[in-house]
Amino acid sequence: MYSATLSTAAPFIIQQDYPAYTDEQHSVWAELVGRRLPELEKHAASEYLEGYEVIGLQRDRLPNLTSISARLAPRTGWTSTPVSGFLPAPAFFEMLASRLFPTTTWLRKRDALDYTPEPDIFHDVFGHVPMHAHPVFADFLAHYGRVCAHVESADVLEKLGRLFWYTVEFGLIRERGEIKVYGSGLISSHGECRNVTEGHCAVHDFSLREVLDTPVKVDELHKLLFAVSSFDQIYEAMREAERLALDGEL
């Protein structure tokens, strides 16, 4: 289906075998959602909560990616596209540029509810996909993919990766004077979210230059994150990052 338009990512795209999910897996999904949703109803950005309703996530059943995409695509052009696992960077960027979000189909086991070293369907769908229903965020993400797909410098990609990390993965937004979470790593992780809401993490106003100058650390809870005032801000930041990359200033 996608092979005509994807030169790099096509081999990684699979079909979700939805009937193969077991009652135990649906039960684990329900427990994961039950643990996170009450906190998110207090601390998540309104755009995330709206997107959660738009894509039709169920609390007690694993998501059917075909059904989610059918609700999402008419709104922003995005689909939640099943992939076989971790994608190399060129394939990942190619999919983002085409508004196809690479989505894993496996789910963590009950003994790993708090952490999994690789993203699973809970992180990908519960954490990421509701934000794809927001038009400005959706445009930002596709633009990010288009820009990165044409960057050859590893150093520039590493800098642009920081922008992705501190927005898509660990982004915060100020909403009516309060800090709200929208990044998937905060949405899907109890520990990371509490780290912010309980005041253990410094929060700076979003600055593209500071974000680009802040290295990513994956082996500890964050000590610093960034809050935007609106999603228009990250879209404009992406435009500025593209200019810096083209001008050799990253």
Side-chain angles (χ1 to χ4, degrees), residues 187-201:
I187 293 290
S188 63
S189 169
H190 184 75
E192 288 284 5
C193 190
R194 282 287 179 91
N195 185 50
V196 172
T197 60
E198 294 180 355
H200 304 305
C201 175

Side-chain angles (χ1 to χ4, degrees), residues 55-67:
I55 68 174
L57 282 182
Q58 298 182 58
R59 298 189 183 204
D60 60 347
R61 305 292 294 175
L62 277 147
N64 184 310
L65 301 185
T66 298
S67 298

Side-chain angles (χ1 to χ4, degrees), residues 25 40 54 65 93 99-100 120 148 150 187 220 241 243:
Q25 288 174 307
L40 295 177
V54 167
L65 301 185
F93 298 142
R99 296 185 182 243
L100 307 170
D120 66 348
C148 291
H150 293 93
I187 293 290
E220 60 183 33
R243 185 193 68 76

Side-chain angles (χ1 to χ4, degrees), residues 84-98:
S84 55
F86 181 78
L87 269 62
F92 180 71
F93 298 142
E94 185 179 52
M95 290 190 70
L96 294 187
S98 300

Side-chain angles (χ1 to χ4, degrees), residues 38-182:
E39 185 174 38
L40 295 177
E41 287 169 345
K42 298 177 184 177
H43 298 297
S46 58
E47 292 85 352
Y48 170 85
L49 296 173
E50 179 183 357
Y52 183 95
E53 296 299 325
V54 167
I55 68 174
L57 282 182
Q58 298 182 58
R59 298 189 183 204
D60 60 347
R61 305 292 294 175
L62 277 147
N64 184 310
L65 301 185
T66 298
S67 298
I68 285 176
S69 295
R71 297 172 68 114
L72 185 60
R75 188 176 176 100
T76 62
W78 277 86
T79 65
S80 188
T81 305
V83 295
S84 55
F86 181 78
L87 269 62
F92 180 71
F93 298 142
E94 185 179 52
M95 290 190 70
L96 294 187
S98 300
R99 296 185 182 243
L100 307 170
F101 186 70
T103 307
T104 52
T105 60
W106 71 281
L107 180 68
R108 69 193 71 181
K109 296 185 182 300
R110 191 175 296 277
D111 60 4
L113 291 179
D114 290 322
Y115 174 76
T116 176
E118 294 184 13
D120 66 348
I121 194 171
F122 181 72
H123 173 85
D124 284 349
V125 177
F126 185 88
H128 279 282
V129 177
M131 287 303 305
H132 301 169
H134 186 267
V136 176
F137 186 90
D139 288 348
F140 154 74
L141 192 58
H143 191 175
Y144 180 89
R146 289 195 301 273
V147 171
C148 291
H150 293 93
V151 172
E152 296 181 357
S153 167
D155 290 339
V156 172
L157 283 176
E158 195 273 333
K159 286 289 186 72
L160 292 174
R162 297 177 186 183
L163 176 59
F164 187 93
W165 186 262
Y166 291 115
T167 57
V168 178
E169 292 287 350
F170 287 94
L172 303 169
I173 188 169
R174 296 189 187 278
E175 192 174 282
R176 293 186 291 276
E178 296 184 6
I179 296 293
K180 301 289 187 177
V181 304
Y182 72 86

